[in-house]
Amino acid sequence: MNDDSQILIARLLTHQTLRRDEKLVKRVLSDELFRAEVDARLLACGLKLLDNVYADHVTLALTRTIEPKIFGARDVWQNNNFGLARDGVALLVVLWAQIILPKRERQETHQHADDDQNDMFGTEKPLPRAEDTSIGISYKALLSDFGDKLGKKTRMDMNLGTLAKLGFIERRGDVLLEGPLLDLMMDTDVLKERIINGALADVFKRAPARLVAVGDPLLDANADADLAVDTDDDTSSDIPH
């Protein structure tokens, strides 16, 4: 038995997320033998390690095969596995689209949040961390743009509180920032197409309006509350532990 794998799993179970730059996390992401041992021990419990290079944290999630035994019939829990109502899921998708998609674009072009223009040599640099590229959005602008669609102020405040408690976002005054789970629990490959060409198509057809500094207003858009929170590479609905 490897004590390091035991410690890593226990810490993830206890803290829900760990930063990628922690010693054991760096090891599990780079050491194939250690990763195989951790994966095997997690699989025996119906769990898996969830990470992606764009996020600053890792977490644990249920495996696809164990989900129905935990949550029941898919049509019952697929849109509500975090205890979120329909408007809460829609709010989560809007926040993801407004925070994560622009962040990933900056990461892929090796831009930091405070960069004014592209660095012609930027692609030679390491992929920037999420905390260096993620930009917050204004709560007041979010309420103004989406409040009528997402339950108005009281309901939105309640859902934002739930999302903050779950680790999807962080609130600092009027600014809503990316939380540890926002870029981990959402399936970008699936949701990006659905959002850009579907529910929020009108947002992404417009030029970004003042979405360049923390606290600036959001673009106008209509949120589609029917969008599910798809997670993991195989579009399963992962639950953090």
Side-chain angles (χ1 to χ4, degrees):
M1 180 180 293
N2 187 314
D3 288 341
D4 285 347
S5 63
Q6 183 182 57
I7 292 170
L8 176 61
I9 293 171
R11 292 194 66 214
L12 281 166
L13 287 170
T14 302
H15 299 293
Q16 187 184 54
T17 62
L18 294 175
R19 291 187 59 87
R20 291 177 67 91
D21 55 11
E22 292 197 18
K23 182 179 179 180
L24 289 179
V25 176
K26 290 171 67 175
R27 182 181 171 190
V28 79
L29 296 177
S30 61
D31 185 332
E32 291 185 9
L33 292 178
F34 184 52
R35 177 63 180 263
E37 179 180 354
V38 170
D39 285 344
R41 298 182 71 169
L42 288 172
L43 184 60
C45 301
L47 299 171
K48 61 186 174 182
L49 183 69
L50 202 61
D51 77 279
N52 71 62
V53 296
Y54 298 98
D56 286 347
H57 297 78
V58 299
T59 190
L60 297 181
L62 296 177
T63 60
R64 176 76 167 181
T65 55
I66 202 68
E67 289 174 353
K69 300 175 183 177
I70 304 301
F71 297 112
R74 183 169 176 79
D75 59 350
V76 173
W77 55 260
Q78 64 174 344
N79 292 339
N80 198 32
N81 51 18
F82 289 102
L84 294 171
R86 189 165 171 263
D87 56 355
V89 174
L91 176 59
L92 176 58
V93 173
V94 168
L95 291 168
W96 178 85
Q98 296 288 348
I99 296 174
I100 298 303
L101 290 182
K103 182 203 74 171
R104 286 202 175 191
E105 183 178 355
R106 284 188 290 271
Q107 286 176 303
E108 290 171 356
T109 57
H110 294 256
Q111 283 186 276
H112 286 67
D114 55 357
D115 286 348
D116 292 328
Q117 59 186 7
N118 288 334
D119 180 353
M120 63 183 296
F121 302 107
T123 55
E124 302 298 324
K125 301 176 183 177
L127 188 74
R129 296 177 302 174
E131 66 182 25
D132 294 327
T133 52
S134 188
I135 295 178
I137 58 176
S138 166
Y139 163 76
K140 292 180 181 178
L142 181 71
L143 180 62
S144 174
D145 292 337
F146 296 101
D148 289 342
K149 296 291 184 180
L150 299 177
K152 300 190 182 298
K153 185 178 188 302
T154 299
R155 186 69 183 175
M156 182 178 288
D157 286 347
M158 184 182 71
N159 284 325
L160 286 172
T162 300
L163 293 177
K165 186 180 299 184
L166 289 170
F168 283 106
I169 61 169
E170 295 179 1
R171 297 194 66 171
R172 298 179 188 173
D174 182 58
V175 180
L176 306 174
L177 299 166
E178 173 186 351
L181 293 181
L182 190 59
D183 201 6
L184 279 175
M185 303 303 293
M186 310 287 280
D187 188 345
T188 298
D189 292 337
V190 173
L191 283 179
K192 185 175 181 179
E193 282 299 311
R194 294 181 183 179
I195 289 172
I196 292 178
N197 297 317
L200 299 183
D202 58 333
V203 172
F204 294 100
K205 288 178 182 176
R206 306 175 191 175
R210 295 181 294 170
L211 194 63
V212 294
V214 173
D216 282 342
L218 294 169
L219 298 169
D220 292 332
N222 292 324
D224 184 348
D226 291 325
L227 266 175
V229 180
D230 291 325
T231 55
D232 187 30
D233 292 337
D234 58 3
T235 70
S236 62
S237 299
D238 293 324
I239 301 299
H241 291 266

